[in-house]
Amino acid sequence: STFLRQVGTFTSWFKIPSQGMERYECLSHATAVCVALSDRKPLRFLTSAHVAQPWMWPHYYPQDWIRYIRDEHTRYTLDVRADDGSVLASYELDKSTIDVHPTRDIVSLSLGVETELTFIFQPEKLSILPVSLSRGPIGSDTPVTVAGHALVDRETEMDTHDEFCSNADGNALDGRILPLQLPESSSGCFLAGRTGAQSFLRVFGEGGKPHVLKEGMCGGGVFGEGGEFSHPSTLYGVIDGVVPMGSLQAPHLAGCASFVDANELRAWLSSSGGDRCE
C-alpha cells in the first residue's frame, strides 16, 4: 500500500550513566510521518510527544524511574520497516531540532543535513515518502485511511543497520532490542464536530466493524483517498491518542482515535523557525 510507504517507526532511546547504564535502551515507540516543507526547508518528522518525552507525561507512564530521564539522556531514531516488521534502514534524528507543540501531543524533528541527504537519495524501499498537508477541511463523509505501525512484540532482536545511527564519538546504538511493530492500515470516517481543540475518527476493521487502534499507532497518518494515486499524498492529520473503551467522560467517542488536523499542523509548523508549509 502507498499509505504504508509514507510512515515509519519512531523509537526513543535512553542511557543514564549516573545510574550505571552502559548502553542505550528502548524507552518508547510510535509511528512517524514525514512532511515536506516549502523553500527547500528540511523534512520534518511528526510523532507523539509522549513517546519522545515520556517524563513530561506522568499520567501515561506510572513507572517511577521515568522521572529521572531528561533530554540529555535520550536519542531518537526513525526506522523503515518491511511488511514483516524487520528493519530495512535506521536513521538518527537530530534531537536539537525537536519542536514540541504547545498544547497537543505531537513533536516534530529533522534529520541532520548529511543524514537527510542519505535519506533522500536512498533506494525507495530504504526511506519513507514525504507527504503534504491538506488545504481543505475534512468532511464527515470523507473516506480516510489511517496508516501506522502497530506494536506486536516488545522485545525482538532486530538488525538495525547501525551505520546510520552512530554519532560523532562513535557511540553507535548497536545490539539494540527493538519492539516488533507491523505496518497496519485501516479505513476511517471523520466524526462531525470537535470536542474542544480535538478532532476524532471512527476507525473500522475487517467487515466494517469498529476497530480500536493498537499501541504504536500514535503518530500515524490520516490520509485522503488520493494517497493511492498522487505524490505527495494528502495528509489530513496525525493520530495523537485513542479514547479508552468504556470512557465515562465521552462515551460517544469510546474507541475513537483523536488526531491533530492539517490546519493546526500547518499553523504550528509555519510558526516554527519561520517555516512555510507547502
Side-chain angles (χ1 to χ4, degrees), residues 13 23 66 84-85 91 97 150 172 192 197 223 231 243:
W13 304 87
R23 62 190 299 175
I66 287 182
D84 64 358
Y91 304 89
T97 66
F223 294 101
H231 174 70
V243 180

Side-chain angles (χ1 to χ4, degrees), residues 62-80:
Q63 301 93 326
D64 182 67
W65 56 266
I66 287 182
R67 65 189 177 93
Y68 294 104
I69 303 173
R70 292 295 180 267
D71 288 324
E72 60 267 27
H73 302 136
T74 60
R75 292 169 73 179
Y76 305 118
T77 56
L78 172 78
D79 294 310
V80 181

Side-chain angles (χ1 to χ4, degrees), residues 206-225:
E206 294 183 4
K209 297 180 179 179
H211 172 67
V212 179
L213 294 180
K214 299 174 184 175
E215 184 178 349
M217 291 290 287
C218 283
V222 180
F223 294 101
E225 195 172 48

Side-chain angles (χ1 to χ4, degrees), residues 32-277:
V33 181
C34 177
V35 173
L37 306 179
S38 66
D39 298 332
R40 301 184 182 276
K41 297 291 186 181
L43 297 172
R44 300 298 292 182
F45 295 85
L46 309 184
T47 192
S48 297
H50 72 262
V51 171
Q53 299 180 329
W55 59 92
M56 300 295 293
W57 300 77
H59 57 295
Y60 278 15
Y61 300 91
Q63 301 93 326
D64 182 67
W65 56 266
I66 287 182
R67 65 189 177 93
Y68 294 104
I69 303 173
R70 292 295 180 267
D71 288 324
E72 60 267 27
H73 302 136
T74 60
R75 292 169 73 179
Y76 305 118
T77 56
L78 172 78
D79 294 310
V80 181
R81 304 228 185 188
D83 290 345
D84 64 358
S86 60
V87 176
L88 298 174
S90 296
Y91 304 89
E92 182 157 12
L93 293 154
D94 182 354
K95 72 177 184 179
S96 71
T97 66
I98 193 167
D99 185 22
V100 183
H101 194 288
T103 60
R104 303 299 299 272
D105 184 357
I106 192 167
V107 299
S108 75
L109 300 101
S110 294
L111 300 165
V113 176
E114 292 185 5
T115 305
E116 180 166 312
L117 287 173
T118 301
F119 178 83
I120 292 172
F121 290 106
Q122 282 287 2
E124 185 175 287
K125 73 173 185 177
L126 299 182
S127 64
I128 62 176
L129 301 175
V131 299
S132 60
L133 297 173
S134 169
R135 291 192 172 278
I138 181 173
S140 59
D141 58 348
T142 302
V144 298
T145 295
V146 178
H149 292 264
L151 177 69
V152 176
D153 187 351
R154 290 185 183 276
E155 295 187 349
T156 301
E157 295 274 358
M158 309 294 285
D159 178 0
T160 54
H161 296 261
D162 286 306
E163 64 268 27
F164 298 121
C165 293
S166 58
N167 57 19
D169 62 8
N171 188 9
L173 292 170
D174 54 354
R176 295 180 283 158
I177 303 296
L178 266 177
L180 176 60
Q181 290 175 257
L182 293 178
E184 178 176 297
S185 63
S186 302
S187 61
C189 183
F190 174 66
L191 298 184
R194 292 161 62 97
T195 301
Q198 289 186 293
S199 301
F200 295 90
L201 289 172
R202 179 73 67 189
V203 182
F204 303 102
E206 294 183 4
K209 297 180 179 179
H211 172 67
V212 179
L213 294 180
K214 299 174 184 175
E215 184 178 349
M217 291 290 287
C218 283
V222 180
F223 294 101
E225 195 172 48
E228 293 284 359
F229 310 105
S230 60
H231 174 70
S233 294
T234 300
L235 183 70
Y236 282 124
V238 174
I239 301 295
D240 71 341
V242 176
V243 180
M245 294 298 294
S247 170
L248 299 179
Q249 294 182 324
H252 63 296
L253 296 175
C256 289
S258 65
F259 69 101
V260 185
D261 67 37
N263 288 334
E264 189 167 356
L265 291 172
R266 178 178 291 103
W268 168 52
L269 292 172
S270 296
S271 66
S272 302
D275 286 337
R276 180 170 60 82
C277 297

Side-chain angles (χ1 to χ4, degrees), residues 10-33:
F10 173 86
T11 307
S12 58
W13 304 87
F14 80 109
K15 180 176 72 173
I16 309 177
S18 64
Q19 298 297 314
M21 295 181 67
E22 297 181 352
R23 62 190 299 175
Y24 283 90
E25 297 182 11
C26 179
L27 179 57
S28 196
H29 39 78
T31 298
V33 181

